[in-house]
Amino acid sequence: MSYTVAEFITLRLKQLGCYHVFGVPGTSCSDFIDSLVADPDMQFVNTVNELEAGYAADGYGRQGAIGAVSVAYGVGTLSMANGIASALTERVPLAVINGGPTDKDLRLEAEYDVLFSHSTGFGKTDLKVFRKLTLGAAEIRTLEGAADRIDRLLIMAMERSGPVYIEIPQDLWKQPIGHFSPNLAYSPKRFKRGARAFTNAVADKLAQASNPVVLLGAELVRFGLVDEALHFVEAQNLPFYTTLLSKSLISESHPLFCGVYDSDLAPSTVTQGVESSDCVIALGCLFGIDHRYMVTKLGDKLLRVAFNKAMIGTEVLPKLSLGASLESLNQLPELSRTDRQIPTVAGQTYQDRRAQWQSKLGDNPYSGTLGHDGIFAAIGDFLMDQNDPYYISLDTCLASFPGADIPVLDTQCFLANPIWLSIGQGTPAAIGAYYATGKRPLIVTGDGGFQMVSQAFSSFVQNQIPGIIVIIDNGSYAIEQFLIDGTFFTEPDKAPLDYVMLNGWKYENMPHVYNGGIGLRVTSYEDLLGALRHAHARPDQPCVIAAQIPMKDLPAENRAFLGI
């Protein structure tokens, strides 16, 4: 059977488990989109804008298959660059499929100085930009060898877990691709050079350690290694924590689960368990600025392997893959003590996990005027009552800190952006996660982040995605206020910075604008719990809930940090 270039890329995406491509239609990619529409297994998901498309593909790719996005050349691709940078930083397999200028376009521009559509005039702008934002980028200007070049890029995205960029001149989409292998056969490379050194170091540390722990990271999900990691944890009877990026990779009901280390502002049971350990084994973890204190404090007590790099403290070992390291670690005899008490949080409610913060929140922190902790207490209580799993998407905002303590009993149903830290990512990324998992999204976002991507609510309505979006409505970029000048929260009469203030929106009226959905506003724990239950009972449409809180409210750990 003969395949066009467009049909070939469509086939390869399916073979990699991708059945949804996100984007905004443009003439440069219209022939590719036509091939998606013609394929009964595929769906092209229209988004309102290109940044939303990039974030949605990012959210899709975090679930085990490759994500894919296709938008217009130049004006579209450059608009979604931030979403692709998110995938690069947090190591998400993703393919940017772009239609580029033809040879004729480039020739006429060079000879007559007349720009083709969406050209900057400075030569192959998209290709140059995306070479900096992907693991690999190429334009396919000739049909000879095109299939092999496309395959190499797609395999790179899967083997190295990150985005790639494929540009096809728009007059080649319908041309025959020529000969290609019927299947995209590959097996992830396993680098083993550092396995002995790393395993010996782990064995030595475990034999001497009195309180060893394990940190489990997102690479375990990216490469399907969760079971191997769990085998190691259980065989050695080791308490384990996750990072926020990998929250829920194993059910938090597991008796060895001890919490989420999101930063040094985590509850003391978590920070002490990790930061005071004499042996921390980090498997597949990406570390960002919120982990800097922990990583530097532990020094050579931290042994880690992630994305083909193994380290003991600052010493870099020979190249080692996570899969190869787990294979070696799982051959170790039992080295860890079995009589030690495990500080598990399994079975604990949100309120239980945060009991240490009670003094920072007053006598009855989860009743009366709503605050950050009241929002998550209501969400935690709501989730504990549900039999149907929700997919939790936590946007970057002050809520990132308390959001780490939501009890999640299902597996691989949580999304955050804690390394790239782009506010606004959570809402559109949940669209991609919904198509990949089928689980109903529950999104928690700050009002500043949501205003950046609010049009995504239209995509929820248009595509009948029954998401529940809880907007923390305090009228400001509160996380920026906290980071720039925290004295606003400590001094009752101090005004906020002018440049962090937002125009107040009536979010509950959005369904009238976007022609569908439910809109609610709440001001107390009881109101929010009722609103969540009301939205849950309407699985046929999305719901936006404006959770109004005082501008000076802070999560408990942030209050403790400021000494209030």
Side-chain angles (χ1 to χ4, degrees):
M1 179 177 178
S2 177
Y3 280 77
T4 66
V5 173
E7 291 168 341
F8 170 74
I9 294 176
T10 301
L11 172 68
R12 288 305 199 223
L13 290 176
K14 289 195 297 183
Q15 291 174 337
L16 293 174
C18 176
Y19 297 93
H20 301 84
V21 177
F22 302 89
V24 176
T27 55
S28 58
C29 295
S30 60
D31 290 332
F32 172 58
I33 296 172
D34 284 340
S35 77
L36 297 171
V37 174
D39 191 314
D41 296 327
M42 298 295 288
Q43 182 177 351
F44 179 73
V45 182
N46 271 319
T47 58
V48 178
N49 58 52
E50 293 85 2
L51 179 58
E52 178 190 332
Y55 280 147
D58 177 19
Y60 191 96
R62 291 169 188 254
Q63 314 312 313
I66 192 171
V69 62
S70 186
V71 299
Y73 183 88
V75 292
T77 48
L78 299 182
S79 293
M80 73 172 183
N82 188 40
I84 308 308
S86 171
L88 177 68
T89 306
E90 299 192 348
R91 304 305 294 264
V92 179
L94 188 155
V96 178
I97 312 296
N98 196 18
T102 65
D103 289 342
K104 180 180 178 181
D105 290 329
L106 296 174
R107 177 177 58 79
L108 292 177
E109 182 171 278
E111 291 180 5
Y112 294 95
D113 197 22
V114 177
L115 305 186
F116 61 85
S117 183
H118 308 320
S119 170
T120 63
F122 289 89
K124 300 186 179 181
T125 305
D126 286 26
L127 182 64
K128 292 176 181 177
V129 168
F130 281 90
R131 278 177 175 159
K132 300 293 186 180
L133 296 177
T134 60
L135 299 176
E139 54 176 352
I140 312 297
R141 303 210 68 84
T142 60
L143 292 171
E144 184 178 356
D148 289 339
R149 295 184 69 196
I150 292 169
D151 281 351
R152 283 197 293 270
L153 284 166
L154 293 174
I155 289 172
M156 179 187 295
M158 299 301 291
E159 284 189 341
R160 295 175 56 190
S161 194
V164 295
Y165 173 86
I166 302 171
E167 183 177 310
I168 309 293
Q170 62 186 84
D171 61 349
L172 290 189
W173 284 121
K174 291 185 175 182
Q175 296 299 311
I177 192 73
H179 175 74
F180 62 88
S181 300
N183 297 305
L184 186 59
Y186 76 97
S187 57
K189 296 176 182 176
R190 286 200 171 186
F191 301 99
K192 300 182 178 182
R193 285 184 58 210
R196 177 175 295 179
F198 184 75
T199 304
N200 288 342
V202 169
D204 290 344
K205 291 283 188 182
L206 281 179
Q208 301 173 32
S210 58
N211 58 333
V213 302
V214 175
L215 264 176
L216 299 180
E219 188 186 1
L220 295 167
V221 175
R222 304 284 191 268
F223 291 106
L225 296 169
V226 173
D227 289 344
E228 287 87 340
L230 187 57
H231 181 273
F232 171 69
V233 165
E234 292 177 339
Q236 299 294 338
N237 193 42
L238 292 169
F240 75 88
Y241 301 79
T242 68
T243 64
L244 190 62
L245 188 62
S246 57
K247 181 177 170 69
S248 87
L249 88 167
I250 295 171
S251 172
E252 295 183 352
S253 63
H254 194 287
L256 292 175
F257 174 67
C258 297
V260 176
Y261 187 97
D262 62 313
S263 70
D264 56 351
L265 296 183
S268 60
T269 53
V270 174
T271 55
Q272 290 171 8
V274 176
E275 295 168 6
S276 300
S277 172
D278 50 2
C279 172
V280 176
I281 304 164
L283 301 173
C285 296
L286 289 170
F287 293 131
I289 190 169
D290 285 332
H291 307 113
R292 183 186 292 171
Y293 173 81
M294 180 267 293
V295 171
T296 56
K297 181 178 188 295
L298 287 172
D300 62 5
K301 297 174 186 176
L302 175 63
L303 303 90
R304 53 175 161 159
V305 56
F307 297 100
N308 300 327
K309 185 176 184 179
M311 298 178 67
I312 301 173
T314 58
E315 178 191 358
V316 179
L317 301 179
K319 198 168 189 178
L320 176 62
S321 299
L322 180 59
S325 69
L326 286 168
E327 184 179 339
S328 183
L329 290 174
N330 280 327
Q331 296 176 17
L332 288 173
E334 185 177 304
L335 296 169
S336 180
R337 287 171 44 199
T338 59
D339 59 345
R340 136 178 117 260
Q341 188 166 354
I342 305 295
T344 181
V345 299
Q348 292 186 2
T349 65
Y350 174 84
Q351 292 91 325
D352 292 335
R353 294 191 186 189
R354 296 175 64 78
Q356 74 173 90
W357 303 120
Q358 181 77 26
S359 63
K360 296 296 179 182
L361 298 171
D363 295 333
N364 193 8
Y366 306 120
S367 186
T369 302
L370 194 62
H372 283 89
D373 280 88
I375 288 172
F376 285 102
I379 291 172
D381 290 345
F382 167 73
L383 291 172
M384 295 288 278
D385 291 340
Q386 305 307 321
N387 293 322
D388 298 329
Y390 274 81
Y391 191 99
I392 313 301
S393 183
L394 182 64
D395 198 40
T396 301
C397 56
L398 284 175
S400 299
F401 299 104
D405 295 321
I406 300 173
V408 180
L409 305 184
D410 196 18
T411 58
Q412 298 180 31
C413 60
F414 186 91
L415 185 152
N417 196 220
I419 308 298
W420 182 237
L421 292 167
S422 183
I423 66 173
Q425 186 258 9
T427 301
I431 295 173
Y434 170 76
Y435 279 107
T437 68
K439 295 176 182 177
R440 189 173 184 182
L442 174 55
I443 301 149
V444 186
T445 176
D447 47 0
F450 184 75
Q451 287 194 10
M452 291 183 177
V453 297
S454 61
Q455 290 169 301
F457 188 71
S458 179
S459 296
F460 281 84
V461 174
Q462 181 179 11
N463 296 292
Q464 298 179 313
I465 302 171
I468 302 174
I469 306 173
V470 179
I471 303 169
I472 301 175
D473 185 6
N474 56 13
S476 69
Y477 291 110
I479 191 169
E480 303 302 334
Q481 177 71 65
F482 174 79
L483 294 171
I484 297 168
D485 183 8
T487 60
F488 164 72
F489 299 99
T490 64
E491 299 177 15
D493 297 328
K494 186 165 187 175
L497 297 166
D498 288 343
Y499 53 82
V500 304
M501 295 299 295
L502 297 169
N503 178 34
W505 288 11
K506 293 185 177 180
Y507 302 100
E508 64 274 25
N509 290 341
M510 289 181 62
H512 299 291
V513 176
Y514 293 116
N515 198 30
I518 302 168
L520 303 167
R521 178 169 290 272
V522 299
T523 58
S524 69
Y525 161 90
E526 293 81 7
D527 288 347
L528 177 54
L529 187 57
L532 290 167
R533 289 170 175 165
H534 176 74
H536 175 75
R538 298 295 303 273
D540 57 326
Q541 55 186 310
C543 178
V544 58
I545 303 173
Q548 185 174 324
I549 67 171
M551 190 177 294
K552 287 185 180 284
D553 182 80
L554 281 175
E557 51 268 68
N558 300 86
R559 294 176 62 84
F561 179 82
L562 294 176
I564 55 176

